[in-house]
Amino acid sequence: MRRLSSLLFLFFLAGCDDEAAPARPDAAVGDAAADAAAPDAGPPDAGPDAAAPDAALAEDAAPALRDAGPPDADLPPCTPEPTAEALEPASENPGGPWLAPGGRRLSPAGLNVVVPGFSTGVLFHPAREVVYVTSASDDDRRLLVLDAATGEIRQDVERDEAFYGLALDADADRLYASAGFAGRVDAFAVQPDGTLVADGSIETGGYPAGLALDGGRLYVGLFNTPRVIEIDVATGEERARYPTASPVWDLLVLPARRELYASSLQGDDVSVIDLAAGALARTLPLPTSPAGMAADPAGTRLWVAVSGADVVVAVDPATGEVTATGHVAEDDLVDADGAPLPSTNVNALAYDAVRGRLYASRGADNAVSVLDADDLTLLGSIPTSWYPTDVALAGPDRLVVAEGKGGGAGPNRGEGVKQVMKGSVTFVELPGLDLAASTEQVKAGFRRAQATFPFQCDGRFPIPTRPGQRSPIEHIVLIVKENKTFDCVFGDLGDPRADVDPSLLRYGEDITPNLHALARAFALSDNFYTEVENSDTGHLFLTGGHLTEFVERVWIERARTDQFQGYQLTRQAAPKAGNFFTHLMNHDISQTIYGEIVGMFIDAADGRGRPARFSDPGYPGGAFYNTSEPDENKARYVVSQIEAGKLAAFTYLLLPNDHTEGTRAGSPTPESMVADNDYAVGLVVEALSHSPFWSSTAIVILQDDPQGCTDHVDAHRSPLLVVSPYARRGHLSKVNASFGSVFATFTAILGIPPMGRPDASASPLYDMFDARRDLTPYTALPRRVPVTLNPDGQMGGDKSARMDFHGPDRNPALYPILDAYRLWRMGRISRAEAERRIATLQVDADHWELLEEEAEEEIHAFDGAFAAYQAWRRERGLPPAAIPPRARPLSPAPAPP
């Protein structure tokens, strides 16, 4: 899958023909793609520092600057007052209810056992009364053996690699487990107590995923290529290779029919292999991303969980026809036509022959659906912990659910967010289950944020709370930054209301004066969480409002291999219904996109084209993640567009340089890059607040993910700021909120329906807004850290030099290097101690080699994509994109000692 980024970009260009697109919106509202790159506006006069921002811009200060407000100013203002329950922070409580990011209540319906890593699959041993669970976390891989009655972890088998895929042989004395990246399947001898002893491995090549056994044959589906391999288990030799229509996820054998079924998270079909003939017999077309499968013992009925369509389908194996389709979610979240809203991520199935039921795990809903196996009528749902990934029956009366993130994260001190995430397993006793009550519990837990903050306003308020209301806010600007937690930036906020741990501060007010001034002047949340653990998924969520099942299974693997390079750009990485950009296109909302490549390849409805039409080609650094171009340059370009009278209804602005490039020689120091980012944010806010757009604008500033630092509340906690004349001045929000809350706010302001279940179930950021309109402008504070380059021999410089910064999430060693470096620069540890920590950093030589290979490939992909983009513009008579793919650095200051 090398050069995937370039290939995908060329594919995308083929679908971006202007003739197929609707009429462009007026340039005055942001169709920058049709305009020549604007000349450099030059550095505007920043003016004097904002004097005493705390006092001047406090919530009850400067009353003369408050105007009469919008045309509905004669209506009484409303003030949102959240309940105490809405203020609860995300918290872990193994074995009982706890809150996930965004305030969803997790109440697994049975014994819940926290296990290490991301639980990807579960298998019950019928004779040994144990459950096998595959765990595939970012930093280690495991195979766990749990007592099926008590949940006790009997054995924890460490593995070098693991992925989805478990199978027991016919005698149930040998277990096979896929090893993913290692290109093999591991075998284990099952002991009398159910524990395992390693018993060799079978080399398969590729990326083995789903497994199935039929007599003495083991079938291995490859996740990275459309192929199934047949293995003779007695000899370990490969007997045959079968092509499939798409790369394989799950496998299921129907012995009586001598057929093998292969589903694909990356396709729109299930491949059927005729084992007698040794060939692909047919494909069953299905909606996108079919996942787990199940069948009755006789092999006369087959069911498939179609993750991208939120349905389970029944298939007649004899005819290949779909005989029934069942939606898996409750009917409490529907669109205007009464159809269920999308994005449940139904992913796995278990058939209950005793009760005639089918159990379907819904990853994104933290639930298991219970369906009638005959007609797929939804009978109810069972609550689980965070993100169920697989289900299995442990005997006739117990359902076992593997949950990828079920143990949560909690605080992280010294570890990245990915290192502290834990999975879980829930054991549900079926005979005593009150299905009606558990269904209500699922709905209440999923929509808890709305129930605990039931704000309604029939008077004056900038966020509509009822259908038909209109917001006075006409322009939304989303500023996306990179990889910081709340403690990391605001540990020195000095506000007694803020929940902070100053010991975890790394980039405080001496480096980020604008963020601190904006936080004190406008609205800041210290109870905001990302739903993601890394930048790849952060960008996908912030462009799509949801993570697909494919993404949830691939993002951890991406840190270990280049085989999924560019997966963020693929069709299966975007929700089937589209992303936020296409959602705006479908509802004729103008938009401008600065610097974001993720989400550009998705088709809007009715031949409206793709979001790349709204990607500004003059943006410094291009439509790509680019930390080598100073954020100040990017901000000044955006300022020039604002000053030219161009501002769309929605603007997406990527300013990624607070990610930093580590300590490699010649790159700006980490402090310099964070200061660059901070000043860029200040410049954009200054320009907007001094523009004619200010009276009807709301700016939301957030991080794409929190993985670059640590936090004492939860590893997902991250800063969120709302900057607007309608922002609640000097306010510190304590309402539990997340990315879903941000999108719920956007859709309410823009007067468009929600994209799917995640934002439809979230509560908007009500308490961060004010019915009063304060037009006091903001003046950017100058940088306190000059443009400074890392010198030769800087600590960690040798390791940083081997990292790839052409895209996010390629450098697992970056965080510990930055942490040690910053602790030294802050005087908290000695230089010798910092260098010792970096020197002892364990990174496999193979991984460094992989990083270097990826860096080379990504440079080629970047250059190829940029050249193709330029050619596409030339063919259409458009001016070339003005910025080359590499940097235009600002003049550096002398290096620090």
Side-chain angles (χ1 to χ4, degrees):
M1 297 181 73
R2 294 185 183 275
R3 309 290 167 89
L4 181 57
S5 296
S6 295
L7 293 174
L8 288 169
F9 201 89
L10 291 170
F11 171 76
F12 138 72
L13 292 177
C16 286
D17 196 336
D18 286 345
E19 277 96 40
R24 293 167 179 257
D26 185 50
V29 291
D31 189 11
D35 299 326
D40 188 357
D45 182 7
D49 293 355
D54 297 358
L57 300 179
E59 187 173 359
D60 58 352
L65 294 174
R66 298 189 186 277
D67 69 343
D72 60 357
D74 56 325
L75 295 175
C78 297
T79 301
E81 296 294 343
T83 65
E85 290 81 5
L87 309 182
E88 294 181 28
S91 57
E92 59 176 339
N93 181 20
W98 60 285
L99 294 186
R104 288 187 179 137
R105 178 71 72 190
L106 301 174
S107 304
L111 173 66
N112 180 255
V113 179
V114 174
V115 299
F118 185 99
S119 306
T120 66
V122 60
L123 181 66
F124 173 63
H125 193 297
R128 305 292 193 269
E129 291 292 317
V130 295
V131 170
Y132 300 113
V133 178
T134 294
S135 173
S137 68
D138 181 66
D139 56 342
D140 64 353
R141 305 291 165 112
R142 300 167 183 271
L143 182 58
L144 305 164
V145 184
L146 276 67
D147 187 296
T150 67
E152 175 189 1
I153 299 177
R154 291 188 183 177
Q155 188 180 20
D156 182 346
V157 180
E158 291 190 13
R159 305 175 67 196
D160 62 336
E161 288 297 336
F163 194 49
Y164 173 79
L166 291 171
L168 276 169
D169 67 5
D171 297 326
D173 59 7
R174 192 172 172 87
L175 177 75
Y176 296 91
S178 291
F181 173 55
R184 68 172 194 270
V185 175
D186 294 329
F188 299 88
V190 179
Q191 303 304 294
D193 63 353
T195 57
L196 304 171
V197 174
D199 192 20
S201 61
I202 301 169
E203 298 297 323
T204 63
Y207 220 93
L211 303 177
L213 278 156
D214 181 27
R217 298 290 185 265
L218 171 68
Y219 299 98
V220 182
L222 299 185
F223 188 65
N224 65 333
T225 188
R227 187 170 298 125
V228 171
I229 299 175
E230 180 182 314
I231 304 291
D232 185 320
V233 295
T235 65
E237 296 179 353
E238 180 180 317
R239 297 295 301 270
R241 291 193 167 211
Y242 305 110
T244 56
S246 306
V248 180
W249 177 247
D250 197 24
L251 290 179
L252 180 70
V253 173
L254 297 184
R257 296 188 56 81
R258 299 293 293 139
E259 289 181 337
L260 176 68
Y261 290 73
S263 68
S264 175
L265 285 179
Q266 302 170 67
D268 302 322
D269 46 57
V270 170
S271 297
V272 184
I273 297 170
D274 185 330
L275 296 175
L280 176 65
R282 63 186 187 276
T283 59
L284 308 178
L286 292 172
T288 186
S289 300
M293 299 180 289
D296 66 354
T300 59
R301 293 190 291 175
L302 171 74
W303 298 277
V304 184
V306 188
S307 68
D310 310 294
V311 299
V312 173
V313 299
V315 176
D316 183 344
T319 65
E321 295 180 354
V322 174
T323 59
T325 299
H327 286 277
V328 296
E330 295 73 30
D331 59 3
D332 57 331
L333 292 170
V334 297
D335 63 17
D337 297 323
L341 286 172
S343 302
T344 66
N345 287 16
V346 56
N347 51 31
L349 300 172
Y351 173 57
D352 183 345
V354 174
R355 297 169 181 81
R357 293 177 172 180
L358 204 64
Y359 303 101
S361 50
R362 291 153 42 196
D365 287 353
N366 309 318
V368 170
S369 296
V370 182
L371 301 103
D372 185 293
D374 292 327
D375 59 11
L376 297 183
T377 299
L378 180 63
L379 303 175
S381 299
I382 302 170
T384 70
S385 193
W386 191 1
Y387 210 88
T389 57
D390 201 5
V391 285
L393 281 165
D397 294 333
R398 184 176 295 115
L399 183 71
V400 185
V401 186
E403 295 131 342
K405 307 178 185 182
N412 60 330
R413 296 175 182 271
E415 315 101 335
V417 59
K418 294 183 290 185
Q419 280 68 49
V420 296
M421 285 295 295
K422 298 177 287 293
S424 69
V425 180
T426 294
F427 298 83
V428 181
E429 301 299 328
L430 296 173
L433 180 68
D434 184 337
L435 192 55
S438 72
T439 303
E440 291 304 312
Q441 194 172 14
V442 167
K443 293 194 289 187
F446 192 73
R447 301 188 65 173
R448 178 185 174 277
Q450 294 176 337
T452 57
F453 198 172
F455 176 60
Q456 295 287 337
C457 178
D458 291 318
R460 176 160 49 95
F461 195 72
I463 311 299
T465 65
R466 298 186 190 279
Q469 294 177 335
R470 184 171 180 176
S471 174
I473 298 171
E474 300 175 358
H475 306 279
I476 297 171
V477 178
L478 173 63
I479 299 179
V480 179
K481 293 151 46 65
E482 291 278 336
N483 298 25
K484 298 291 178 286
T485 63
F486 192 90
D487 280 335
C488 185
V489 177
F490 289 114
D492 63 345
L493 188 61
D495 187 332
R497 300 171 298 172
D499 187 1
V500 298
D501 183 345
S503 72
L504 300 180
L505 177 73
R506 297 296 183 269
Y507 301 97
E509 191 163 8
D510 57 329
I511 301 174
T512 56
N514 282 286
L515 286 182
H516 282 70
L518 292 169
R520 295 180 181 120
F522 295 95
L524 170 71
S525 171
D526 73 345
N527 199 14
F528 178 82
Y529 306 85
T530 74
E531 282 98 336
V532 302
E533 287 76 42
N534 71 356
S535 288
D536 284 346
T537 51
H539 285 263
L540 282 162
F541 206 116
L542 287 170
T543 57
H546 173 67
L547 298 181
T548 66
E549 183 66 20
F550 171 78
V551 171
E552 290 286 9
R553 300 298 184 133
V554 168
W555 70 265
I556 295 178
E557 300 304 300
R558 179 63 187 84
R560 308 176 79 84
T561 175
D562 66 343
Q563 296 195 48
F564 306 114
Q565 179 178 323
Y567 85 88
Q568 313 95 313
L569 312 179
T570 59
R571 178 177 55 84
Q572 58 267 22
K576 184 176 185 293
N579 59 22
F580 192 61
F581 300 143
T582 62
H583 193 60
L584 296 177
M585 294 172 68
N586 294 339
H587 291 88
D588 299 315
I589 304 296
S590 65
Q591 59 185 304
T592 301
I593 303 164
Y594 293 112
E596 181 60 78
I597 192 66
V598 174
M600 294 294 97
F601 308 154
I602 309 304
D603 291 306
D606 303 324
R608 293 169 182 254
R610 292 176 174 174
R613 292 180 49 224
F614 306 100
S615 178
D616 190 324
Y619 186 64
F624 304 89
Y625 174 98
N626 191 340
T627 55
S628 61
E629 181 74 28
D631 278 350
E632 181 181 337
N633 290 351
K634 300 167 191 169
R636 292 196 184 281
Y637 177 82
V638 175
V639 168
S640 74
Q641 301 302 294
I642 296 168
E643 292 175 342
K646 297 179 181 181
L647 187 65
F650 178 77
T651 299
Y652 187 109
L653 173 56
L654 178 61
L655 295 174
N657 285 15
D658 57 335
H659 180 280
T660 85
E661 293 187 355
T663 58
R664 65 176 177 180
S667 289
T669 65
E671 299 91 341
S672 180
M673 293 194 74
V674 176
D676 167 45
N677 175 267
D678 178 77
Y679 187 47
V681 171
L683 289 175
V684 172
V685 175
E686 176 184 77
L688 283 167
S689 69
H690 286 83
S691 77
F693 301 114
W694 180 234
S695 63
S696 58
T697 295
I699 307 168
V700 174
I701 305 167
L702 48 70
Q703 306 286 145
D704 74 315
D705 76 87
Q707 70 173 331
C709 297
T710 56
D711 193 272
H712 82 286
V713 174
D714 188 273
H716 296 88
R717 191 173 71 133
S718 187
L720 173 80
L721 293 99
V722 172
V723 177
S724 171
Y726 288 100
R728 193 169 176 179
R729 293 284 181 148
H731 179 63
L732 183 68
S733 175
K734 294 285 186 177
V735 176
N736 191 314
S738 66
F739 286 162
S741 315
V742 172
F743 282 110
T745 305
F746 291 169
T747 55
I749 290 173
L750 296 171
I752 58 178
M755 290 178 287
R757 292 175 61 81
D759 56 320
S761 61
S763 180
L765 304 167
Y766 289 132
D767 81 312
M768 301 185 77
F769 287 85
D770 197 325
R772 300 168 293 176
R773 185 167 69 180
D774 186 339
L775 296 175
T776 306
Y778 177 79
T779 300
L781 300 178
R783 291 177 60 142
R784 296 183 182 176
V785 178
V787 180
T788 310
L789 304 184
N790 288 308
D792 290 333
Q794 183 65 278
M795 66 175 65
D798 56 338
K799 290 182 169 64
S800 297
R802 303 181 71 182
M803 295 180 180
D804 172 16
F805 294 104
H806 288 81
D809 288 334
R810 302 179 186 278
N811 308 301
L814 178 62
Y815 163 70
I817 290 174
L818 287 175
D819 198 55
Y821 167 82
R822 282 298 298 149
L823 287 172
W824 164 64
R825 294 290 295 167
M826 297 172 75
R828 295 186 183 177
I829 61 175
S830 67
R831 179 169 190 135
E833 171 61 17
E835 291 177 335
R836 184 195 66 78
R837 294 184 184 186
I838 293 173
T840 58
L841 182 63
Q842 297 297 314
V843 180
D844 293 339
D846 289 345
H847 190 68
W848 281 120
E849 181 179 352
L850 174 62
L851 289 175
E852 291 169 344
E853 291 174 357
E854 286 185 335
E856 180 181 356
E857 290 298 323
E858 184 61 22
I859 290 171
H860 293 177
F862 185 98
D863 292 344
F866 194 85
Y869 186 43
Q870 295 283 41
W872 176 78
R873 294 186 62 78
R874 285 195 301 270
E875 290 172 2
R876 286 152 181 79
L878 299 174
I883 306 300
R886 295 310 294 153
R888 275 188 322 193
L890 296 166
S891 299

